[in-house]
Amino acid sequence: MPKLTERQKIIANIIKNVHSKKWECVIDGCTNPAINSHLLQQNGILDNVSVDGHLIEYKPTDPFTWKEDSLPFEKKRIGKKNAFSLPLFCNNHDSSIFKEVETHPIDLEQYRVQLLLSYRVICAEIRKKQVNVEQFSRLLNAETLKGDRGRENLRLVKEGNELGIKDLEKYKILFEEELINESSRFTFKIYKYPFLDIYGSAVFSPLDYLKTDAYQSEPLNGVFIHVIPYNDFTNIIVGYCNNYTDDWIVKYIDSWNNLEEEDFEKKLTQLFAAHIENWGMSPDLLKEIKKDNLQRLEEYMAKNANNLSQHQKVNFNLFEYDEE
Ligand SMILES: [Zn+2]
């Protein structure tokens, strides 16, 4: 293990403590402890791509193994129980709210199923940002780090996360209302493609930096997207809230329609590299991916971690393989 400076050790300890912090359920007014909630069901969906009960995901690099040249994230082989999950809901809410998306068979064409998957991902994004804010606050408050040059930047990133939480909470309320009283406030489409050993579930805001004011009072327009390996297909569910959409989003949703296999693979590559963090793949697929494509993916992700632009172009196919 590389030797860390005193300063790095302090930071690594703060990060470790934040990640072992116990969180409450994200449902308003519920103070029960959050359990590890999966973004997609373990048995029935993640099962379809796991190998010996394991999956591959990108996770932030362990701060105790930092090196000057290391990427901010690393590939990890994760047991199914801990894969694609984070502390979101208490046991009660986790099982009562999501019954319809935790059963098997699951009807992915159903509006309510699509709503629930997207609602869960909004809650996950809120929690991820809360973890970030907690971490940044502790770093900013640490006496020993008070002289650091990066503080102003850290303060701005923390503020950005706090604004993000406010946006997401507006979405969360809309979902909660819609789940009680369905009134078609959201639009979803579903597309089926040949089976690939991948999965994903996320929301992203495709920004046009020339037009977007980050401090606007309305929530940013968002795309909900779920990549679900189920019933021998890769199912793409993609949608938006009718109040918060624009031409780009409407076109984007239709652009998943009727793709040739190679274009589908390139579109997935673009999604994973440029737009979302919550995705993973099977250990078997990882073995098949070409080394230089994996390197391209990781370099792109490292460079563009904070890039929300809708104009990003990723020009390779992560899933191409050599014909034999
Ligand atoms: Zn609860």
Side-chain angles (χ1 to χ4, degrees):
M1 211 181 272
K3 214 164 158 24
L4 298 183
T5 63
E6 271 316 303
R7 184 181 158 277
Q8 284 170 328
K9 265 189 234 162
I10 293 165
I11 295 174
N13 271 312
I14 289 175
I15 294 174
K16 188 182 127 211
N17 290 338
V18 168
H19 284 267
S20 54
K21 179 181 151 75
K22 299 280 173 243
W23 293 88
E24 283 181 358
C25 177
V26 296
I27 299 294
D28 272 347
C30 181
T31 54
N32 292 331
I35 60 162
N36 204 32
S37 303
H38 287 81
L39 293 184
L40 292 173
Q41 58 168 286
Q42 277 187 78
N43 305 315
I45 293 181
L46 294 181
D47 258 3
N48 297 333
V49 289
S50 64
V51 175
D52 301 329
H54 284 83
L55 294 157
I56 305 287
E57 289 177 13
Y58 281 97
K59 296 282 170 197
T61 304
D62 179 349
F64 288 99
T65 62
W66 265 338
K67 279 183 244 124
E68 274 306 316
D69 56 348
S70 59
L71 293 173
F73 49 78
E74 55 193 346
K75 274 190 303 298
K76 282 217 166 123
R77 189 169 179 273
I78 307 173
K80 208 178 58 182
K81 272 210 169 66
N82 295 314
F84 221 43
S85 60
L86 64 171
L88 291 184
F89 307 98
C90 67
N91 205 4
N92 271 346
H93 283 122
D94 198 64
S95 47
S96 62
I97 299 174
F98 298 100
K99 221 178 285 161
E100 287 125 299
V101 289
E102 286 299 318
T103 45
H104 176 60
I106 174 175
D107 182 0
L108 298 173
E109 311 265 342
Q110 246 189 60
Y111 179 61
R112 192 170 176 83
V113 163
Q114 298 164 344
L115 271 183
L116 282 168
L117 291 170
S118 305
Y119 173 57
R120 187 154 58 185
V121 113
I122 282 287
C123 294
E125 284 307 314
I126 289 176
R127 178 64 12 116
K128 274 165 80 176
K129 287 195 162 52
Q130 287 172 336
V131 173
N132 288 345
V133 167
E134 178 74 23
Q135 181 176 314
F136 297 143
S137 304
R138 290 192 195 189
L139 289 169
L140 286 166
N141 289 336
E143 275 305 321
T144 31
L145 303 174
K146 287 250 152 98
D148 268 26
R149 268 180 299 159
R151 284 174 62 79
E152 182 53 23
N153 193 33
L154 200 57
R155 207 181 52 71
L156 287 173
V157 185
K158 178 177 161 244
E159 243 176 61
N161 274 270
E162 285 165 341
L163 279 173
I165 293 174
K166 281 198 185 138
D167 268 17
L168 291 161
E169 272 169 352
K170 288 185 190 153
Y171 274 108
K172 180 168 173 264
I173 292 168
L174 283 174
F175 273 108
E176 286 166 351
E177 289 171 356
E178 186 70 4
L179 283 166
I180 293 170
N181 193 358
E182 287 179 27
S183 59
S184 310
R185 281 162 103 175
F186 292 81
T187 300
F188 294 102
K189 293 201 175 159
I190 175 164
Y191 306 104
K192 285 182 190 302
Y193 284 100
F195 191 90
L196 277 173
D197 293 8
I198 48 164
Y199 55 94
S201 187
V203 51
F204 68 94
S205 291
L207 300 190
D208 187 344
Y209 282 119
L210 295 174
K211 296 181 196 148
T212 310
D213 170 10
Y215 292 88
Q216 59 187 22
S217 58
E218 289 290 315
L220 294 172
N221 297 336
V223 176
F224 305 98
I225 189 155
H226 312 282
V227 179
I228 304 181
Y230 194 67
N231 274 353
D232 302 325
F233 291 101
T234 295
N235 298 269
I236 306 289
I237 295 173
V238 55
Y240 53 84
C241 175
N242 300 340
N243 302 37
Y244 305 118
T245 187
D246 53 47
D247 290 348
W248 190 93
I249 290 179
V250 173
K251 266 194 209 142
Y252 179 77
I253 272 118
D254 288 331
S255 73
W256 282 92
N257 188 27
N258 215 1
L259 296 168
E260 295 292 332
E261 194 166 343
E262 196 193 341
D263 291 329
F264 171 62
E265 291 173 355
K266 281 190 179 158
K267 207 166 176 64
L268 279 174
T269 306
Q270 163 100 21
L271 177 71
F272 294 161
H275 298 306
I276 69 172
E277 278 178 6
N278 303 340
W279 63 277
M281 62 180 134
S282 79
D284 282 350
L285 177 66
L286 178 63
K287 279 187 220 150
E288 281 173 34
I289 292 178
K290 288 184 180 173
K291 281 228 160 55
D292 41 328
N293 279 339
L294 203 63
Q295 198 182 338
R296 278 158 111 174
L297 172 79
E298 292 176 358
E299 277 169 8
Y300 191 94
M301 293 196 310
K303 254 192 223 142
N304 293 280
N306 298 314
N307 185 357
L308 301 181
S309 170
Q310 58 184 226
H311 303 296
Q312 295 181 73
K313 282 269 176 301
V314 177
N315 281 319
F316 68 99
N317 177 4
L318 183 64
F319 307 98
E320 73 179 345
Y321 52 89
D322 291 318
E323 310 268 353
E324 272 174 48

